[in-house]
């Protein structure tokens, strides 16, 4: 019978003493004069199955010469093993060689650096590490949809092509069909004239789905979007990519406290489901990527996250007995080293809320003090800021005033402002950086190693 390796691990009893057929790829070959062992992985499961073959097989010599990564189809008896490392193995009756791998296959059985593996990103999913990472990625994505669907949210597909400025137009990739090899048409005041471009105006690739998803909140109450996000920032760090995935919920009749409750609940749900559904992968990450990862994740589920004001965070940083590369200041952003200190100080996730208005976006709710906004970032050890959110400014006049202060073009955002004219209400939302979440879930230290094909400054291979 045709089987996948996952079934063997989940229900071995069903297969003992039966003939099974599997298809997969060779991970290792060991042979002696009369018999040998193959480790085969078929992609269905993190672990391999061991296949024993002997010189009764007519192609014994060819099997011994099999190269790593070759694809094979194997039929044999599924046998329970006693006192062996693995509980079962297959005794081959037939090994069909389907596609041999050239001997220069780069992933021979030795450890490779993550840097090197990035240069062969099209092969790295076949390594144990990336097999674990990308299955966790898939399971986490599903758990996120599940969380929101279970809790009555409507999934909205916000556009990739946009003319709306959410997180700063300077950080958005421009989109044009104008012929860049020719001289660009100019307007009277010397700017590029986009009137002859496909959309008849300047357009961008989205850097956030927030503004569009916000328009759905007054229709469906609770909504979310989950999609690719592009930012042209030239940040060569371990936590920034130019293409990443973001989850952005928006909740009507929800204030900042309510928002933090949802963020915490959502993160705990995702962690719970990943622990439940990827035990082998998490064990592997715990052993080889971040020692103590599993404990960290279990602890998160059972903790309640610390909530402090931005001002309190600065107080803590200022009291710290250490040298800073960037001196912490009230009214200023937190640097990486500050985020790290704060999460280590509390030894877990920390909500930093009520940020100085001058360093945050125009759409955030102005607090009664007139100086801070009802914004919140969730900081975690390692990945830093994984969620950024806020209560939204629901008062039209205040929004208009702040937009003016920050130089945001009202004309382009009239539709966003209209939401404040047609039944405005307290509402809040956040953005969860999917890759930062994965860094936290797996212990990987570089964002380039949790996304299949990373796009970072000077880096767009494949
Ligand atoms: O803090 P950000 O910029 O917030 C927004 O985009 C809001 N519109 C979200 C909202 O309220 N709906 O981004 C949100 C999250 C960050 O906390 C971070 O996890 C991630 O997106 N992020 C990045 N991840 C990888 N590479 C980058 N360059 C990122 N920039 C932001
Ligand atoms: Mg942010």
């Amino acid at each position: 019978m045709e089987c996948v390796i996952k079934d063997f691990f989940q229900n071995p009893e069903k297969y003992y003493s039966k003939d099974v057929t599997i298809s997969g790829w060779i991970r290792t070959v060991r042979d002696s004069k009369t018999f040998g062992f193959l480790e085969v992985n078929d992609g269905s499961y993190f672990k391999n199955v061991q296949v024993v073959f002997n010189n009764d097989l007519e192609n014994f010599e060819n099997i011994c010469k099999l190269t790593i990564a070759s694809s094979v189809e194997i039929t044999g008896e599924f046998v329970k093993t006693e006192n062996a490392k693995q509980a079962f193995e297959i005794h081959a009756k037939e090994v069909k060689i389907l596609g041999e791998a050239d001997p220069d296959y780069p992933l021979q059985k030795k450890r490779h650096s993550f840097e090197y593996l990035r240069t062969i990103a099209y092969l790295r999913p076949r390594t144990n590490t990336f097999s674990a990472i990308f299955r966790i990625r898939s399971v986490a994505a599903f758990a996120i949809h599940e969380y929101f669907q279970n809790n009555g949210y409507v999934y909205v597909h916000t556009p990739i092509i946009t003319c709306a400025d959410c997180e700063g137009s300077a950080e958005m990739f421009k989109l044009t069909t104008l012929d860049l090899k020719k001289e660009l048409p100019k307007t009277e005041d010397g700017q590029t004239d986009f009137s002859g471009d496909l959309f008849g105006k300047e357009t961008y690739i989205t850097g956030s789905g927030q503004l569009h998803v916000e328009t759905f909140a007054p229709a469906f109450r609770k909504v979310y979007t989950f999609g690719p996000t592009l930012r042209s920032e030239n940040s060569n760090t371990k936590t920034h990519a130019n293409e990443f995935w973001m989850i952005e919920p928006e909740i009507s009749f929800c204030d900042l406290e309510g928002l933090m409750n949802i963020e915490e609940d959502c993160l705990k749900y995702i962690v719970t489901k990943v622990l439940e559904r990827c035990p082998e992968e998490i064990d592997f990450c715990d052993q080889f990527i971040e020692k103590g990862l599993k404990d960290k994740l279990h602890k998160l589920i059972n903790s309640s996250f610390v909530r402090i004001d931005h001002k309190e965070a600065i107080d803590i940083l200022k009291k710290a007995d250490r040298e800073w590369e960037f001196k912490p200041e009230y009214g200023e952003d937190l640097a990486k080293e500050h985020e790290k200190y704060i999460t280590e100080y509390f030894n877990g996730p920390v909500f930093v809320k009520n940020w100085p208005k001058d360093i945050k976006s125009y759409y955030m709710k102005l607090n009664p003090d007139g100086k801070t906004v009802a914004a919140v970032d969730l900081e975690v050890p390692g990945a830093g800021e994984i969620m950024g959110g806020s209560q939204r400014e629901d008062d039209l006049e205040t929004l208009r005033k702040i937009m003016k202060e920050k130089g945001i073009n009202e004309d382009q955002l009239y539709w966003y402002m209209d939401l404040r004219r047609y039944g405005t209400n307290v509402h809040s939302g956040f953005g969860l950086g999917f890759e930062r979440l994965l860094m936290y879930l797996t212990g990987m230290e570089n964002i380039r190693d949790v996304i299949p094909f990373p796009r970072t400054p000077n880096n767009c291979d494949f």
Side-chain angles (χ1 to χ4, degrees):
M1 84 183 110
E2 287 221 29
C3 300
V4 287
I5 291 173
K6 183 176 186 182
D7 298 338
F8 299 153
F9 281 91
Q10 295 200 325
N11 192 5
E13 277 79 22
K14 186 174 156 195
Y15 300 97
Y16 288 140
S17 309
K18 300 224 170 88
D19 274 359
V20 296
T21 300
I22 58 163
S23 46
W25 297 270
I26 302 289
R27 284 289 177 86
T28 62
V29 187
R30 283 177 293 142
D31 65 271
S32 64
K33 279 210 170 63
T34 54
F35 67 98
F37 299 98
L38 304 173
E39 289 269 339
V40 180
N41 190 282
D42 73 350
S44 68
Y45 197 59
F46 183 67
K47 292 181 178 167
N48 307 323
V49 70
Q50 171 161 288
V51 177
V52 189
F53 62 99
N54 64 35
N55 60 1
D56 289 347
L57 300 180
E58 54 163 23
N59 58 347
F60 178 74
E61 296 296 321
N62 292 338
I63 304 171
C64 293
K65 278 188 252 153
L66 268 176
T67 43
I68 294 181
S70 296
S71 57
V72 289
E73 184 184 286
I74 295 168
T75 301
E77 189 187 338
F78 190 75
V79 177
K80 184 172 184 165
T81 52
E82 306 293 343
N83 310 321
K85 207 170 76 187
Q86 60 292 318
F88 47 75
E89 59 193 19
I90 295 172
H91 291 179
K93 294 181 176 171
E94 188 184 6
V95 177
K96 270 194 220 163
I97 299 171
L98 304 177
E100 272 175 278
D102 286 358
D104 65 354
Y105 178 63
L107 296 170
Q108 298 300 323
K109 214 177 155 42
K110 67 170 193 134
R111 276 240 196 169
H112 299 281
S113 71
F114 292 148
E115 287 78 11
Y116 169 67
L117 291 173
R118 273 173 228 146
T119 69
I120 49 166
Y122 64 107
L123 296 175
R124 67 180 181 168
R126 306 178 190 199
T127 63
N128 286 334
T129 299
F130 289 94
S131 166
I133 301 298
F134 292 129
R135 197 181 308 272
I136 292 173
R137 186 174 168 114
S138 163
V139 167
F142 181 70
I144 287 166
H145 280 294
E146 205 175 43
Y147 175 81
F148 289 113
Q149 296 285 334
N150 287 350
N151 286 289
Y153 289 70
V154 167
Y155 177 30
V156 182
H157 293 112
T158 50
I160 302 290
I161 300 174
T162 187
C163 53
D165 178 354
C166 184
E167 298 303 328
S169 57
E171 288 197 349
M172 282 198 283
F173 284 99
K174 295 184 174 58
L175 186 69
T176 183
T177 58
L178 295 178
D179 188 345
L180 300 179
K181 292 194 189 93
K182 294 199 186 126
E183 201 177 323
L184 294 173
K186 296 275 184 227
T187 57
E188 271 170 19
D189 54 0
Q191 306 285 342
T192 305
D193 181 3
F194 289 96
S195 61
D197 205 346
L198 186 69
F199 298 109
K201 60 165 133 177
E202 192 165 12
T203 51
Y204 308 94
I205 311 182
T206 184
S208 165
Q210 178 194 325
L211 302 184
H212 296 94
V213 87
E214 258 188 72
T215 67
F216 272 59
F220 295 98
R221 189 177 190 97
K222 298 200 276 187
V223 291
Y224 72 106
T225 178
F226 184 173
T229 307
L230 292 105
R231 293 197 188 167
S232 63
E233 59 197 332
N234 193 354
S235 305
N236 226 324
T237 77
K238 289 182 175 181
T239 53
H240 286 86
N242 296 110
E243 179 176 308
F244 60 99
W245 284 63
M246 185 154 64
I247 299 95
E248 294 183 279
E250 196 68 32
I251 310 104
S252 306
F253 308 106
C254 174
D255 63 8
L256 192 70
E257 282 299 315
L259 186 73
M260 287 186 281
N261 295 341
I262 294 167
E263 293 185 23
E264 188 167 336
D265 193 42
C266 175
L267 184 57
K268 286 176 179 173
Y269 183 86
I270 301 164
V271 170
T272 306
K273 291 301 153 191
V274 166
L275 283 169
E276 207 173 285
R277 294 169 185 168
C278 298
E280 291 77 22
E281 287 80 2
I282 291 291
D283 278 344
F284 176 88
C285 293
D286 187 72
Q287 198 178 345
F288 295 107
I289 308 211
E290 180 185 339
K291 297 256 179 295
L293 174 77
K294 232 166 109 171
D295 282 350
K296 174 186 92 176
L297 297 177
H298 279 289
K299 199 174 143 249
L300 171 123
I301 299 171
N302 298 308
S303 67
S304 56
F305 302 179
V306 174
R307 301 178 180 191
I308 56 170
D309 278 355
H310 176 269
K311 184 186 162 298
E312 294 172 79
I314 302 290
D315 287 340
I316 292 169
L317 295 167
K318 280 190 176 293
K319 277 194 212 123
D321 179 27
R322 54 164 288 174
E323 292 287 312
W324 299 108
E325 194 186 334
F326 301 96
K327 206 164 154 262
E329 282 304 344
Y330 301 103
E332 280 178 29
D333 209 350
L334 297 183
K336 266 254 91 84
E337 55 179 333
H338 305 149
E339 294 176 355
K340 186 165 182 287
Y341 185 87
I342 293 285
T343 54
E344 282 167 5
Y345 183 88
F346 290 106
N347 190 22
V350 182
F351 284 116
V352 181
K353 59 190 169 71
N354 295 325
W355 288 68
K357 80 172 192 324
D358 293 341
I359 58 167
K360 287 289 188 187
S361 296
Y362 65 89
Y363 54 72
M364 296 177 170
K365 179 81 191 164
L366 187 64
N367 281 326
D369 64 10
K371 291 185 199 133
T372 61
V373 285
V376 63
D377 283 358
L378 180 67
E379 310 284 351
V380 298
E385 179 203 329
I386 64 168
M387 293 179 180
S390 71
Q391 192 176 317
R392 315 306 190 191
E393 184 51 76
D394 49 276
D395 177 70
L396 182 61
E397 282 322 308
T398 315
L399 179 64
R400 182 167 277 152
K401 191 173 139 258
I402 305 266
M403 283 172 75
K404 203 163 180 187
E405 269 175 38
K406 293 193 184 272
I408 306 285
N409 188 339
E410 258 195 47
D411 300 341
Q412 273 170 16
L413 287 174
Y414 73 90
W415 51 276
Y416 182 72
M417 304 176 74
D418 274 357
L419 302 178
R420 279 75 187 158
R421 297 203 297 130
Y422 304 136
T424 195
N425 62 290
V426 170
H427 64 288
S428 304
F430 67 90
L432 165 60
F434 190 48
E435 285 70 25
R436 303 235 181 124
L437 168 72
L438 284 163
M439 292 173 70
Y440 184 74
L441 289 171
T442 61
M444 290 301 268
E445 285 179 0
N446 198 312
I447 196 164
R448 293 163 180 79
D449 299 326
V450 294
I451 187 163
F453 292 97
R455 271 73 176 103
T456 51
N458 288 317
N459 216 324
C460 186
D461 297 330
F462 315 109

